Amino acid sequence: MDRVFSDYETCSQMSYCSSDEEDSFSMQSASPFSSEHMSSPAQTPEKCQEEKDKRKKRVRSRVKNDAVLHTIKKTRRVKANDRERNRMHNLNSALDELRGILPSFPDDTKLTKIETLRLAHNYIWALSETLRLADQSKEKPLKNLGHPAYLSPATPPSPGSDAESWMSSSSPSSSSSSSSSFSVCTSSPSSPAMSEDCYYGHTDSLFSLHTLQQNMIQHASSFLQYH
DNA sequence: TAGGCCATCTGGTCCT
DNA sequence: AGGACCAGATGGCCTA
């Protein structure tokens, strides 16, 4: 802003009694040495001063307009930042709600965003499986539901979603992150059932899909008994 | 100290 | 035109 102002000031000094076109208000178009400006014998000192004053007014007006525009821009940006912050807060609140709904995990560890989404994905899949198994259970005894034979995937592995590729496509945090030892089970992009780790869990796993499924099968069983 | 995660800012794009 | 959404940049905090 200061720079703009000083430029205008400089220009107004350079273009002594030039024609009053704002757009030609520059060093190039309003050179004091141009023939046009050399030949102005009709201009009295009073008129010249008048022109100068007019020009100064216009310059001040333009600078003021620039300042107003700048202020408006700044205000809009501040408002946009505020909305964006709010939006992200809402998103985080929704993620917190999701964390609360997801099956129990150690209270002292908070799932990261990506882990929350992946676990939710697996959880939904496991719920679907539970429903499928519940349907099967209508024909078979409920007590057998926990057997691994009942935990086979509902559908065969889709191309690109076998156990190996599934594991290799996990998040960066799934193999090295220290934040969650059950991250393997929060890293499935497509088919959680394809991972044996998620079926039977790592030795130090605090949470596994297998456990989750068994819990849900129990819930589903009691649901079927009482409803 | 490097790396991971996060909040915030910012400019661009799309939508109403 | 203004708001929503998105992705990149940046800096702070934490942990191994």
Side-chain angles (χ1 to χ4, degrees), chain A residues 125 129 132 152-163 190-191 193-194:
Chain A
W125 171 85
E129 277 299 275
R132 187 180 67 82
S152 59
T155 53
S158 56
S161 67
D162 56 31
S190 58
S191 177
M194 292 304 104

Side-chain angles (χ1 to χ4, degrees), chain A residues 45-91:
Chain A
E46 290 77 20
K47 273 199 170 183
C48 197
Q49 185 60 41
E50 214 172 284
E51 289 292 319
K52 271 186 176 179
D53 290 345
K54 277 184 184 176
R55 187 165 300 115
K56 275 186 179 176
K57 272 189 181 177
R58 278 194 297 272
V59 168
R60 286 201 191 100
S61 165
R62 178 183 284 186
V63 169
K64 195 177 174 184
N65 282 345
D66 284 351
V68 168
L69 276 176
H70 184 257
T71 307
I72 289 173
K73 268 189 174 181
K74 210 172 178 182
T75 308
R76 280 184 190 159
R77 193 59 258 173
V78 168
K79 278 176 75 179
N81 288 348
D82 201 44
R83 282 195 307 272
E84 177 65 9
R85 215 178 304 123
N86 223 26
R87 197 180 68 86
M88 295 309 293
H89 286 167
N90 287 338
L91 188 61

Side-chain angles (χ1 to χ4, degrees), chain A residues 85-107 109-117 119-120 123:
Chain A
R85 215 178 304 123
N86 223 26
R87 197 180 68 86
M88 295 309 293
H89 286 167
N90 287 338
L91 188 61
N92 288 338
S93 299
L95 271 169
D96 280 340
E97 276 186 48
L98 187 56
R99 285 188 187 101
I101 291 169
L102 290 174
S104 61
F105 46 84
D107 288 339
T109 61
K110 184 185 177 186
L111 288 175
T112 65
K113 292 180 175 180
I114 189 72
E115 284 171 342
T116 303
L117 292 176
L119 179 57
Y123 186 47

Side-chain angles (χ1 to χ4, degrees), chain A residues 1-2 22 30-31 35 51 56 69-70 82 92 118 122 126 155 165 179 181 193 199 204 217 221:
Chain A
M1 190 55 65
D2 293 339
E22 278 288 312
S31 165
S35 59
E51 289 292 319
K56 275 186 179 176
L69 276 176
H70 184 257
D82 201 44
N92 288 338
R118 287 189 166 131
N122 286 2
T155 53
S165 63
S179 62
S181 56
Y199 262 148
D204 61 343
I217 285 163
S221 300

